[in-house]
């Protein structure tokens, strides 16, 4: 339960005991966390226990309730203060309200029912204040992590006054693995992070922020007297626990970046930028990788270089065309080795898109549906598309499946193979149809249609339409062209007819498809 923490203050111990025993505080959602019978104890205990509500006698020797209220509210050490007063201090109590004290209770009127009634209203106010203060903290923290300096007062607010008790900061960034979208038309669900950090309460955790909707940023406080080795050991332990928490929620392996012992809060935004940069390359380091920013390994420090994949892809195409599947698989493995060395995220994405296109073309010439169509028929899982090794193994598995399928299929005639190659190469020509292909093959239209349907199980027009829609999906995924431009690119004379065909094949319009992919 989210208890309201209460502190009782009175110079008479019996008065404190009376208030403690007057009602069942816990039944009302309150917890008495500390008491004080000396004014000199109040500020120190408030800093230590962070009460939400302080109920305090207005008249005490040394420093009265009014002076203490002013100090407590100035330091934002409490959300609400209620002063206990008698009739003779009534004017004094009204003065306290001007300072921001929540209310005053007249002692002899406060029986059990009156206290319960007052606490019921205060709880709602305290919960509202909590939400407002939390939102203020969140805005300050996000601005700070984005590079905006915080004043000392803002830092105290952002860390609920706890930041000043530490002279060292630790940074931990957790990012659940995101699935690489390999196939057009296949929507891969990426992890949905909870709005708030779900970990257990930790007094050293100064802040936990969901950042950029893709990761959690945790900031811990520590003291330099612990020593560097102990600080690192402590953060490693917290990282293990934090990863376990987020992986249980998302079901995804989670990569992390950590930096310990930062002497200045101004150092944190720069370290966060470095952490996010490293995590963007987590795909190349395998699932659940931990980047230790204080001591990066040599392979982690390498600057990404442009991935040269064109020559290897051309060789792969040639090997597949000759049905040399084992050699093609070795060439694909070599390409992935080059990708691992280069760590070029954009280049790797381009390579994967081209490999999918090559495999689809190979499948088409064998009379097989595209990878996306096969995937849509299910069941399929994209769980392995979160690391380079997993993506490589998926491509090799598809090559192996293709080789086995091809070996078990009756040989497709040379004429049908040529027709499929024509469709894959010239789908963008609006003049291309079954009659045109038949003429180019030197056979009659009726003979070609019969032969194609007999060997592939589909009409030539249906297969050509499938190829055009598959290419259209790829262009829609890239998001660089308008719908009518895509229609022209894939062989449709006008956008309206293209949209009708697209909807007939996919069950949605091109615009609906793009919206779903977002």
């Amino acid at each position: 339960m989210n208890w309201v923490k209460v502190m009782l203050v009175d110079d008479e111990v019996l008065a404190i005991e009376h208030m403690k025993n007057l009602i069942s505080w816990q039944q009302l959602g309150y917890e008495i966390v500390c008491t004080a019978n000396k004014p000199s104890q109040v500020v120190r205990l408030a800093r230590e226990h962070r009460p939400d509500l302080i109920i305090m006698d207005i008249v005490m020797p040394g420093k009265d309730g009014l002076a203490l209220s002013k100090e407590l509210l100035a330091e934002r050490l409490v959300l609400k203060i209620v002063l206990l007063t008698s009739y003779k201090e009534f004017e004094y109590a009204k003065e306290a309200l001007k300072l921001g004290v929540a209310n005053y209770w007249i002692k002899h009127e406060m029986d059990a029912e009156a206290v319960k009634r007052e606490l019921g209203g205060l709880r709602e106010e305290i919960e509202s204040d909590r939400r407002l203060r939390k939102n203020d903290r969140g805005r300050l923290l996000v601005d700070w992590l984005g590079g905006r300096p915080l004043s000392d007062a803002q830092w105290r607010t952002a860390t609920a006054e706890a930041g000043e008790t530490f002279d060292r900061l630790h940074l931990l960034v957790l990012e659940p693995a995101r699935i690489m979208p390999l196939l057009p038309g296949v929507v891969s669900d990426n992890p949905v992070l909870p709005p708030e950090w779900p970990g257990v309460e930790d007094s050293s955790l100064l802040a936990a922020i969901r950042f950029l909707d893709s990761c959690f940023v945790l900031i811990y406080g520590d003291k330099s007297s612990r020593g560097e080795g102990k600080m690192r050991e402590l953060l490693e332990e917290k990282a293990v626990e934090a990863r376990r928490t987020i992986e249980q929620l998302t079901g995804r392996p989670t990569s992390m970046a950590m930096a310990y012992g930062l002497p200045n809060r101004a150092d944190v935004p720069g370290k966060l930028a470095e952490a996010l940069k490293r995590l963007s390359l987590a795909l190349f380091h395998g699932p659940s990788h931990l980047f230790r920013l204080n001591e990066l390994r040599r392979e982690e420090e390498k600057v990404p270089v442009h991935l040269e994949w064109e020559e290897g892809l051309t060789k792969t195409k040639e090997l597949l065309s000759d049905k040399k599947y084992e050699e093609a698989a070795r060439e694909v493995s070599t390409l992935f080795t080059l990708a691992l060395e280069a760590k070029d995220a954009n280049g790797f994405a381009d390579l994967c898109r081209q490999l999918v296109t090559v495999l689809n073309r190979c499948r088409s010439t064998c009379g097989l549906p595209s990878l996306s169509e096969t995937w849509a028929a299910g069941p399929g899982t994209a769980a392995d598309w979160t690391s380079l090794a997993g993506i490589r193994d998926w491509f090799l598995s598809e090559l192996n499946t293709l080789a086995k399928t091809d070996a078990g299929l009756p040989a497709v005639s040379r004429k049908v193979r040529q027709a499929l190659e024509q469709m894959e190469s010239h789908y963008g020509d609006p003049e291309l149809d079954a009659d045109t292909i038949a003429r180019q093959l030197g056979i009659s239209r009726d003979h070609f249609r019969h032969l194609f349907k007999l060997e592939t199980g589909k009409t030539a027009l249906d297969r050509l339409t499938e190829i055009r829609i598959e290419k259209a999906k790829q262009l829609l995924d890239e998001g660089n062209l308008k719908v009518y431009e895509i229609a022209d690119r894939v062989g449709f004379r006008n956008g309206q007819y293209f949209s009708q065909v697209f909807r007939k094949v996919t069950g949605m319009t091109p615009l609906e498809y793009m919206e779903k992919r977002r």
Side-chain angles (χ1 to χ4, degrees), residues 118-281:
E118 292 291 338
L119 289 177
L122 275 172
R123 182 175 178 82
E124 293 181 8
E125 293 179 23
I126 287 170
E127 288 178 346
S128 176
D129 285 355
R130 277 176 170 175
R131 288 191 293 270
L132 290 173
R133 185 169 288 190
K134 188 173 185 180
N135 290 339
D136 289 343
R137 288 185 62 206
R139 283 191 292 270
L140 284 172
L141 288 167
V142 169
D143 288 348
W144 168 57
L145 293 175
R148 176 185 171 187
L150 295 184
S151 67
D152 289 343
Q154 288 174 322
W155 176 243
R156 287 195 296 271
T157 299
T159 60
E161 310 297 331
E164 290 190 335
T165 61
F166 303 104
D167 63 356
R168 290 292 183 272
L169 297 174
H170 307 319
L171 169 71
L172 179 62
V173 187
L174 303 101
E175 184 172 65
R178 301 178 72 83
I179 292 173
M180 187 171 182
L182 292 180
L183 301 179
V186 175
V187 178
S188 302
D189 294 329
N190 279 311
V192 178
L193 297 178
E196 298 180 358
W197 176 245
V200 296
E201 191 169 326
D202 182 344
S203 60
S204 67
L205 181 60
L206 298 178
I209 310 106
R210 192 174 77 163
F211 200 69
L212 303 177
D213 287 330
S214 64
C215 63
F216 266 105
V217 179
L218 308 186
I219 308 293
Y220 295 93
D222 209 340
K223 296 187 177 180
S224 56
S225 57
R226 185 189 296 275
E228 188 171 303
K230 290 291 185 182
M231 284 194 290
R232 171 182 170 170
E233 184 179 331
L234 176 69
L235 187 56
E236 294 266 3
E237 291 174 0
K238 292 185 182 296
V240 170
E241 183 61 35
R243 171 184 278 156
R244 186 182 300 118
T245 296
I246 206 69
E247 287 185 345
Q248 287 175 349
L249 280 171
T250 64
R252 295 282 176 83
T254 297
S255 292
M256 301 186 293
M258 61 175 251
Y260 61 86
L262 302 176
N264 194 313
R265 65 176 181 262
D267 299 330
V268 174
K271 280 296 179 184
L272 173 60
E274 182 183 355
L276 295 175
K277 181 179 178 182
R278 301 295 176 189
L279 288 169
S280 71
L281 301 177

Side-chain angles (χ1 to χ4, degrees), residues 54-177:
I54 295 179
I55 301 174
M56 179 165 51
D57 193 2
I58 200 169
V59 176
M60 293 182 290
K63 184 180 282 189
D64 61 26
L66 190 60
L68 282 171
S69 296
K70 189 181 297 185
E71 187 172 353
L72 291 164
L73 292 171
E75 289 195 37
R76 295 170 62 92
L77 294 178
V78 63
L79 292 176
K80 297 291 181 183
I81 297 175
V82 170
L83 293 177
L84 298 174
T85 182
S86 61
Y87 279 124
K88 64 181 178 181
E89 296 122 13
F90 188 66
E91 292 302 320
Y92 193 39
K94 288 197 292 186
E95 181 66 25
L97 294 180
K98 296 178 182 178
L99 295 176
V101 171
N103 203 350
Y104 58 88
W105 296 347
I106 298 174
K107 291 180 181 180
H108 74 274
E109 294 180 357
M110 298 310 294
D111 58 13
E113 291 305 315
V115 171
K116 288 179 183 178
R117 186 171 57 252
E118 292 291 338
L119 289 177
L122 275 172
R123 182 175 178 82
E124 293 181 8
E125 293 179 23
I126 287 170
E127 288 178 346
S128 176
D129 285 355
R130 277 176 170 175
R131 288 191 293 270
L132 290 173
R133 185 169 288 190
K134 188 173 185 180
N135 290 339
D136 289 343
R137 288 185 62 206
R139 283 191 292 270
L140 284 172
L141 288 167
V142 169
D143 288 348
W144 168 57
L145 293 175
R148 176 185 171 187
L150 295 184
S151 67
D152 289 343
Q154 288 174 322
W155 176 243
R156 287 195 296 271
T157 299
T159 60
E161 310 297 331
E164 290 190 335
T165 61
F166 303 104
D167 63 356
R168 290 292 183 272
L169 297 174
H170 307 319
L171 169 71
L172 179 62
V173 187
L174 303 101
E175 184 172 65

Side-chain angles (χ1 to χ4, degrees), residues 359-424:
L359 280 179
N360 277 335
R361 181 168 296 181
C362 189
R363 293 172 67 88
S364 179
T365 57
C366 293
L368 296 175
S370 70
L371 290 168
S372 293
E373 292 168 331
T374 303
W375 190 275
T381 175
D384 293 332
W385 298 356
T386 57
S387 69
L388 181 142
I391 294 170
R392 176 202 61 207
D393 292 345
W394 179 79
F395 274 114
L396 294 178
S397 174
E398 289 299 328
L399 276 173
N400 186 49
T401 299
L402 182 59
K404 289 180 179 179
T405 304
D406 189 38
L409 288 174
V412 179
S413 69
R414 184 170 60 87
K415 294 293 187 184
V416 171
R417 188 180 299 278
Q418 288 175 339
L420 289 167
E421 289 173 352
Q422 278 279 81
M423 294 178 187
E424 285 286 347

Side-chain angles (χ1 to χ4, degrees), residues 282-309:
L283 178 81
F284 300 104
H285 294 277
S288 301
H289 188 75
L290 173 58
F291 295 92
R292 297 175 174 86
L293 302 183
N294 297 70
E295 46 210 19
L296 287 171
R297 297 200 299 268
R298 182 175 300 175
E299 65 269 19
E300 293 172 336
E301 291 182 323
K302 287 182 178 177
V303 177
V305 297
H306 178 65
L307 174 61
E308 302 285 351
W309 50 261

